[in-house]
């Protein structure tokens, strides 16, 4: 109650000086508008920060000017979690509650605003998130409320209230123009008059086909943790902060913000944090007269208990007729997938994309091998929406596509009996499915339709499958054309393998050591 009373009194005192503050704000905004705008391209800029010292005193790692500003802001707004320096001027993200970077409270629990180094409030703390400046459009911070995006121009104080699904930069180097997506329509936004967006006919394909983002290029627009402290004999995290632009989040290209980026001057003395994040369009395909698909790669690396890296692939589909954007995650590979790890992608046709992957991420079922190549299929509907194809079959690709030899090849590994990690070889690995695998693949096609097997072997095998119900002596009339073609192809490959199965499989001993 005492803390609440102090906060209320502070707010009353603050409101008393409101008229004087407004006059001062108008003067400052006029001065800001008169400042020349210098356009420059920043690439992997080394950000100079004060040398951190071991110190348990709050604000001790900040220079005196920033420290005093944050102390004063904290008296009114509880906390000031981030700050950024833009061409000699400091801007502060203010917050109505106690921000905790370990929780990353951008879920509506806390509200955020913006103040400058004159302690003028440019944006009242009424928003769910304030993004890094200049990553979508020059001279502006993106702002978010109720999952909608707007802008605030930190030079003019002009505000575009949140109303867009996302805001897309007009090029990979953000400039004075950006485009907002709202209710399937695009609006042109100019930073000189952000509050007056204009509805236009806009094609985002040229931007999407060259889409890229890299935290190393954030440069001057990097925000910093206001309360970060350095401890010489304790674990320390990076202090750089990048709240990923709205279009990156909207497309699902990165799944989190980064409040632990290791800055250039922190290399070698930080124990946890993100070192690199980058994304780029790696493939484009026209699917119809209105649908265009993109594969976007997202790479991340950093340090934790040990170094880590991972690369994810997303599928993005744009419907030109409705201006709709659809995305789905395809696969992720990390350092733990070094053994037997692969991820390949191909369009089977204009509606189905195939993901061939061997990753621990896809171990959501009992596998025949300890490491095993999997095939995942996604179907792109006529409107551009995407769904993953699934069936009860173990080798479910036999249901979706006309298979070829690539569906039998991959990485298949299992433990050598009684071998340990200290042995020279502890795993068998093969490059091709076995004849036994092909028999299961063929017979489960019939089993799905309820075929009553005559042999005891297959009766016993399929009786263990929860989906199997024996009903019919003949199911040939129930098979699809894809089923029939695939049964013939499986028998053809089996016949070839029976002459020399070893030459197909290339079975050999190897060594596997789990990462840890």
């Amino acid at each position: 109650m005492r803390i609440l009373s102090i906060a209320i009194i502070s707010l009353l005192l603050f409101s008393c000086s409101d008229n004087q503050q407004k006059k001062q704000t108008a003067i400052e905004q006029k001065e800001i508008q008169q400042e020349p705008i210098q356009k420059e391209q920043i690439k992997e800029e080394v950000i100079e920060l004060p040398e951190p010292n071991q110190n348990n005193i709050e604000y001790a790692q900040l220079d005196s000017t920033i420290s005093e500003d944050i102390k004063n802001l904290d008296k009114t707004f509880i906390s000031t979690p981030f700050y950024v320096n833009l061409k000699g001027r400091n801007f502060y993200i203010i917050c109505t509650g106690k921000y905790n970077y370990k929780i990353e409270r951008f879920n509506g629990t806390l509200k955020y605003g913006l103040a400058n180094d004159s302690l003028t409030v440019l944006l009242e703390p009424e928003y769910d998130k304030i993004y890094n400046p200049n990553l979508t459009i020059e001279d502006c911070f993106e702002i978010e409320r109720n999952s909608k995006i707007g802008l605030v121009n930190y030079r003019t104080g002009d505000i575009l209230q949140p109303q867009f699904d996302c805001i897309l930069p007009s090029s990979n180097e953000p400039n004075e123009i950006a485009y907002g997506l709202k209710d399937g329509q695009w609006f042109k936004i100019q930073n000189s008059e952000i509050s007056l967006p204009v509805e236009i006919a806009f094609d985002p394909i040229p931007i999407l086909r060259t889409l890229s983002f890299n935290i190393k290029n954030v440069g001057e627009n990097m925000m910093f943790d206001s309360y970060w402290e350095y401890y010489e004999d304790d674990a320390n995290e990076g202090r750089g902060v990048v709240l990923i632009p709205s279009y990156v989040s909207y497309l699902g290209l990165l799944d989190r913000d980064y409040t632990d980026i290791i800055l250039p001057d922190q290399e070698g003395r930080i124990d946890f944090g993100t070192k690199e994040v980058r994304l780029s369009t790696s493939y484009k395909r026209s699917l119809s007269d209105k649908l265009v698909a993109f594969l976007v790669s997202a790479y991340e690396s950093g340090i934790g208990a040990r170094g880590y890296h991972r690369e994810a692939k997303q599928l993005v589909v744009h419907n030109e007729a409705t201006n709709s954007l659809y995305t789905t995650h395809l696969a992720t590979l990390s350092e733990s997938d070094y053994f037997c790890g692969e991820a390949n992608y191909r369009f089977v046709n204009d509606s189905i994309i195939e993901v061939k992957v061997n990753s621990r991420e896809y171990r959501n079922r009992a596998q025949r091998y300890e490491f095993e190549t999997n095939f995942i299929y996604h179907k792109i509907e006529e409107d551009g929406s995407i769904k993953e194809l699934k069936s009860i079959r173990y080798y479910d690709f036999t249901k979706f596509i006309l298979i070829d030899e690539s569906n039998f090849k991959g990485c298949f590994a299992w433990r050598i009996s009684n071998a340990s990690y200290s042995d020279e070889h502890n795993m068998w690995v093969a490059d091709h499915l076995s004849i036994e695998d092909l028999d299961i693949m063929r017979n489960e096609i019939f089993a799905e339709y309820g075929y009553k097997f005559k042999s005891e072997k297959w009766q016993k095998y399929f009786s263990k499958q929860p989906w199997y119900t024996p009903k019919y002596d003949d199911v040939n009339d129930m098979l699809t054309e894809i089923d029939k073609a695939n049964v013939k192809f499986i028998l053809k490959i089996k016949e070839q393998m029976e002459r020399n199965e070893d030459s197909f499989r290339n079975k050999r001993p190897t060594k596997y050591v789990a990462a840890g």
Side-chain angles (χ1 to χ4, degrees):
M1 290 296 294
R2 181 182 180 185
I3 295 174
L4 180 60
S5 300
I6 293 173
I8 291 172
I9 293 170
S10 299
L11 286 171
L12 289 172
L13 291 173
F14 183 82
S15 64
C16 291
S17 61
D18 182 62
N19 292 334
Q20 182 178 354
Q21 187 70 43
K22 288 181 179 178
K23 293 180 181 179
Q24 182 66 22
T25 300
I27 295 172
E28 289 168 350
Q29 289 178 349
K30 183 176 180 181
E31 291 174 349
I32 293 172
Q33 288 176 309
Q34 293 174 347
E35 291 178 6
I37 301 175
Q38 300 177 5
K39 299 180 180 180
E40 59 182 8
Q41 181 174 336
I42 301 172
K43 293 293 183 181
E44 298 193 38
E45 177 182 344
V46 176
I47 302 167
E48 298 293 341
L49 296 174
E51 183 70 18
N53 298 310
Q54 181 176 350
N55 198 318
N56 294 328
I57 302 174
E58 199 169 22
Y59 311 108
Q61 86 286 356
L62 302 172
D63 70 37
S64 57
T65 300
I66 294 175
S67 176
E68 286 303 310
D69 285 349
I70 291 178
K71 285 180 182 179
N72 287 319
L73 289 168
D74 283 358
K75 293 176 182 177
T76 301
F77 299 105
I78 311 300
S79 64
T80 308
F82 312 128
Y83 69 93
V84 59
N85 184 277
L86 299 170
K87 296 180 174 62
R89 295 211 66 178
N90 296 317
F91 293 85
Y92 303 97
I93 308 301
I94 53 180
C95 181
T96 57
K98 198 66 177 177
Y99 174 83
N100 186 335
Y101 72 92
K102 294 181 180 179
I103 300 175
E104 295 187 8
R105 293 175 176 169
F106 300 122
N107 57 5
T109 304
L110 299 178
K111 299 299 178 182
Y112 301 87
L114 181 69
N116 63 20
D117 51 12
S118 297
L119 304 190
T120 300
V121 176
L122 303 178
L123 199 67
E124 292 293 338
E126 301 170 350
Y127 300 88
D128 299 328
K129 186 188 291 190
I130 312 293
Y131 295 75
N132 292 64
N134 302 317
L135 298 188
T136 302
I137 184 170
E138 287 182 345
D139 303 334
C140 295
F141 290 80
E142 284 191 286
I143 59 179
E144 179 179 332
R145 183 167 55 200
N146 298 327
S147 300
K148 296 297 182 181
I149 306 299
L151 295 167
V152 56
N153 187 313
Y154 59 83
R155 289 187 178 278
T156 66
D158 197 13
I159 299 172
L160 172 61
Q161 290 296 344
Q163 57 193 277
F164 297 103
D165 298 322
C166 71
I167 297 177
L168 188 68
S170 56
S171 71
N172 278 324
E173 294 295 334
N175 52 43
E176 68 277 5
I177 295 174
Y179 299 93
L181 179 62
K182 176 182 178 181
D183 299 329
Q185 300 297 320
W186 288 99
F187 292 78
K188 183 178 180 180
I189 306 168
Q190 294 185 285
N191 66 349
S192 59
E193 45 184 358
I194 60 172
S195 59
L196 299 173
V198 178
E199 183 177 342
I200 63 167
F202 170 65
D203 180 9
I205 299 303
I207 297 173
L208 293 174
R209 72 191 302 175
T210 59
L211 181 67
S212 67
F213 177 76
N214 194 327
I215 62 170
K216 286 189 175 182
N217 297 340
V218 170
E220 182 187 51
N221 304 303
M222 182 75 70
M223 297 197 297
F224 308 110
D225 178 356
S226 301
Y227 308 114
W228 183 90
E229 295 180 3
Y230 176 72
Y231 298 94
E232 185 174 346
D233 298 319
D234 201 357
N236 291 277
E237 288 190 334
R239 66 173 299 193
V241 176
V242 172
L243 309 186
I244 59 175
S246 65
Y247 70 93
V248 175
S249 177
Y250 180 74
L251 294 175
L253 304 180
L254 296 171
D255 59 5
R256 71 181 184 96
D257 294 308
Y258 297 89
T259 57
D260 62 348
I261 295 171
I262 301 171
L263 303 176
D265 72 324
Q266 295 181 303
E267 291 283 354
R269 51 191 176 87
I270 295 298
D271 304 279
F272 299 92
T274 303
K275 296 181 66 176
E276 184 174 6
V277 178
R278 65 176 187 269
L279 61 85
S280 61
T281 300
S282 56
Y283 183 83
K284 169 184 171 289
R285 179 184 174 113
S286 296
L287 305 179
S288 67
D289 58 350
K290 64 178 182 180
L291 297 182
V292 178
F294 302 86
L295 291 183
V296 181
S297 298
Y299 175 85
E300 179 182 340
S301 67
I303 55 176
R306 59 178 185 274
Y308 73 88
H309 67 268
R310 50 181 167 263
E311 184 165 10
K313 196 84 75 174
Q314 274 75 230
L315 172 66
V316 179
V317 178
H318 174 248
N319 185 324
E320 183 179 357
T322 62
N323 275 323
S324 300
L325 289 163
Y326 300 93
T327 65
T328 192
H329 173 76
L330 296 180
T332 299
L333 285 182
S334 68
E335 70 284 347
S336 62
D337 298 308
Y338 82 94
F339 182 85
C340 228
E342 65 173 333
N344 296 306
Y345 314 86
R346 73 178 179 108
F347 281 89
V348 176
N349 50 47
D350 285 342
S351 63
I352 294 180
I353 184 170
E354 174 188 271
V355 181
K356 183 179 182 180
V357 64
N358 194 323
S359 167
R360 292 181 177 182
E361 177 183 357
Y362 296 96
R363 289 186 167 188
N364 54 4
R365 64 178 182 180
Q367 297 199 145
R368 289 181 51 76
Y369 297 88
E370 184 151 350
F371 293 89
E372 178 179 347
T373 294
N374 293 278
F375 290 86
I376 298 96
Y377 293 87
H378 298 269
K379 181 174 174 51
I380 303 168
E381 304 288 3
E382 290 185 2
D383 66 351
S385 58
I386 309 162
K387 70 175 183 179
E388 184 178 341
L389 298 178
K390 296 182 179 181
S391 86
I392 59 176
R393 302 177 193 177
Y394 187 88
Y395 299 103
D396 56 5
F397 47 75
T398 60
K399 189 177 182 71
F400 309 133
I401 67 168
L402 294 172
I403 62 177
D404 57 35
E405 289 188 64
S406 68
N407 294 106
F408 305 133
K409 298 177 181 179
C411 182
F412 308 94
W414 63 102
R415 293 191 183 277
I416 296 175
S417 298
N418 301 319
S420 67
Y421 285 137
S422 60
D423 293 338
E424 181 181 1
H425 300 117
N426 55 23
M427 299 282 285
W428 292 110
V429 63
D431 302 328
H432 196 285
L433 291 173
S434 68
I435 290 177
E436 177 75 6
D437 297 326
L438 266 62
D439 283 340
I440 292 173
M441 186 188 301
R442 176 171 55 86
N443 282 307
E444 70 178 358
I445 296 174
F446 297 96
E448 181 179 8
Y449 297 100
Y451 178 66
K452 293 194 292 187
F453 291 95
K454 306 302 186 291
S455 73
E456 182 180 351
K457 172 184 177 180
W458 296 114
Q459 289 174 359
K460 184 176 180 180
Y461 177 85
F462 285 107
S463 68
K464 297 178 181 177
Q465 310 306 316
W467 50 264
Y468 176 63
T469 303
K471 292 181 179 180
Y472 309 106
D473 294 322
D474 188 346
V475 296
N476 285 325
D477 291 342
M478 301 181 189
L479 302 184
T480 67
E481 293 304 312
I482 289 179
D483 289 331
K484 294 174 183 177
N486 286 339
V487 167
K488 289 180 180 179
F489 189 78
I490 294 167
L491 287 171
K492 174 185 173 182
I493 299 300
K494 177 182 177 180
E495 182 180 350
Q496 295 174 6
M497 290 182 67
E498 286 175 334
R499 299 169 193 161
N500 189 346
E501 183 175 4
D502 290 342
S503 66
F504 276 82
R505 303 215 70 197
N506 189 27
K507 175 185 170 183
R508 59 204 181 273
T510 188
K511 186 174 182 65
Y512 167 70
V513 178

